Amino acid sequence: MSTDATIEEDAERPASRDFLDGARLGVPVIVSSAPFAMLFGALAVANGLSVFEATLMSLTVFGGASQMVGIELFGQKVAPWLIVLSIFAVNFRHVLYSAAIGSRLAHWPVWQQAAGYFLLTDPQFALAEARAESGRKVGFVWYMGAAMPVGVSWVSCTWVGAAFGRLVPNPQALGLDFLLPIYFLGIVMGFRKRPLWLPIVLVSGVASILAYKFVGSPWHVSLGAVAGIAIGAIFGPAPGKVEAEEPTP
Amino acid sequence: MSTTVWIILAAAVATYLTRVGGHLVLSRFETVHPRVEAGLNAVPAAVLTTLVAPAMLTAGPAEWIALAVGGLVALRGGLLTMFLAGAAVLIVLRQFMA
């Protein structure tokens, strides 16, 4: 039907098979991200967002760590542009994924590429890169099969957490106020194979504590981050291929 | 619309720019300068560390122990395992140290 054979994954295979192949790979991502989506919803409401706003954020931003950073700052009466900048900074790693995966998606029509990049989370990049490296084509239907169920789960679990999170009787006893630092530490640990990880973390940590004490919140985020990034840029010209390490979207 | 909704939408646009931007901008260059790439590689750990370290300042022993246990579990397990371990330690310890 198509003169451009590269558009079709394989003429013999029905599209539904490709979708299911992708969806199967998305199952572990759904299982591991669902608790964080519910936690995000519950914490977002605890930090003053409405159920609608929490769900809207999961639908439009679709990036776990950055959403958690956002609600952490929403709770601290930080200037709006700084919240946006902080979310942008946490999500900036996607630039590397996007550059790396670009050539694999280049045979899609533009609107499909536009949709594909919207769903380019950490696990989605890892799945797509693995498929491309195994020599199979990264088709649009397969890609959507892997990404769409994860997105639907992420948004609906956020809604569940936001709608029912406030029913938790004693949030302090459950440690809700300190779950975010534990979560952030886990993500930081996930990057530990990267070059210069320990010096970067130590310098960012010390710089952010000093900035917190002597400059004040929220500047500890940008000042601490700049100090760590400088360490990476000065001491670590260690090029390598881009890898996704975080299991949540 | 509320300020919060505008912030969310602006953050969504910023995030989309990072997801599409690498392809549109970075791929136009033959090579990315190694220092730029090393700096970009450092971004997530650097940013997220700044959200953990100052929280430790204002916390107490229950929180410190929970972070330490979570950090150790993270050496072997994944994010979810580490998170559940840290949260469990925190909840238990808070029953004794308030």
Side-chain angles (χ1 to χ4, degrees):
Chain A
M1 61 176 224
S2 171
T3 51
D4 186 356
T6 60
I7 303 275
E8 290 301 319
E9 180 71 16
D10 183 340
E12 297 296 307
R13 290 163 60 84
S16 60
R17 279 287 297 279
D18 280 336
F19 192 88
L20 286 177
D21 278 354
R24 203 169 298 125
L25 295 172
V27 170
V29 183
I30 291 176
V31 172
S32 55
S33 68
F36 292 112
M38 285 190 245
L39 176 69
F40 167 76
L43 291 178
V45 169
N47 280 355
L49 267 68
S50 68
V51 175
F52 166 76
E53 288 162 349
T55 313
L56 178 74
M57 194 169 188
S58 276
L59 180 69
T60 57
V61 176
F62 194 38
S66 72
Q67 292 177 226
M68 298 287 196
V69 170
I71 57 165
E72 169 95 355
L73 297 177
F74 272 127
Q76 297 180 14
K77 303 264 179 283
V78 170
W81 68 269
L82 257 175
I83 300 180
V84 176
L85 182 68
S86 301
I87 292 173
F88 181 71
V90 173
N91 280 330
F92 203 74
R93 65 185 186 282
H94 292 112
V95 165
L96 296 173
Y97 301 164
S98 168
I101 207 76
S103 61
R104 323 281 198 191
L105 315 187
H107 61 282
W108 299 0
V110 171
W111 72 268
Q112 290 184 352
Q113 291 191 41
Y117 284 114
F118 180 79
L119 297 167
L120 187 62
T121 58
D122 300 284
Q124 184 66 21
F125 170 71
L127 291 176
E129 188 67 14
R131 184 174 174 92
E133 271 176 21
S134 74
R136 282 166 298 173
K137 187 140 44 132
V138 180
F140 178 72
V141 173
W142 173 86
Y143 186 96
M144 285 294 146
M148 292 285 287
V150 175
V152 169
S153 156
W154 182 253
V155 174
S156 42
C157 288
T158 298
W159 179 82
V160 169
F164 299 103
R166 69 182 104 196
L167 300 179
V168 174
N170 185 354
Q172 220 273 337
L174 280 180
L176 274 191
D177 54 302
F178 203 73
L179 291 182
L180 279 178
I182 297 176
Y183 169 79
F184 292 140
L185 176 68
I187 300 205
V188 169
M189 292 296 290
F191 291 117
R192 69 185 180 280
K193 300 273 164 60
R194 290 198 178 182
L196 290 174
W197 174 81
L198 192 58
I200 289 165
V201 166
L202 288 178
V203 168
S204 292
V206 171
S208 67
I209 287 175
L210 291 176
Y212 189 81
K213 290 194 87 143
F214 298 110
V215 186
S217 180
W219 293 103
H220 64 280
V221 178
S222 22
L223 293 175
V226 166
I229 294 164
I231 294 295
I234 293 167
F235 296 104
K241 82 187 170 66
V242 185
E243 282 185 46
E245 284 125 311
E246 291 165 72
T248 59
Chain B
M1 284 200 295
S2 69
T3 314
T4 304
V5 170
W6 282 113
I7 294 173
I8 290 170
L9 294 179
V13 171
T15 300
Y16 187 67
L17 289 179
T18 68
R19 288 189 172 136
V20 76
H23 170 60
L24 293 181
V25 179
L26 226 50
S27 59
R28 288 184 192 277
F29 298 93
E30 277 294 302
T31 50
V32 179
H33 192 283
R35 286 199 192 284
V36 175
E37 189 173 340
L40 288 176
N41 253 315
V43 170
V47 172
L48 290 159
T49 300
T50 68
L51 297 165
V52 182
M56 288 165 69
L57 271 191
T58 50
E63 289 79 12
W64 296 333
I65 296 171
L67 279 180
V69 170
L72 286 176
V73 172
L75 293 174
R76 303 300 299 273
L79 178 63
L80 188 60
T81 318
M82 157 298 165
F83 178 77
L84 293 177
V89 169
L90 179 66
I91 291 167
V92 170
L93 288 181
R94 277 203 175 162
Q95 312 305 316
F96 304 107
M97 330 174 179

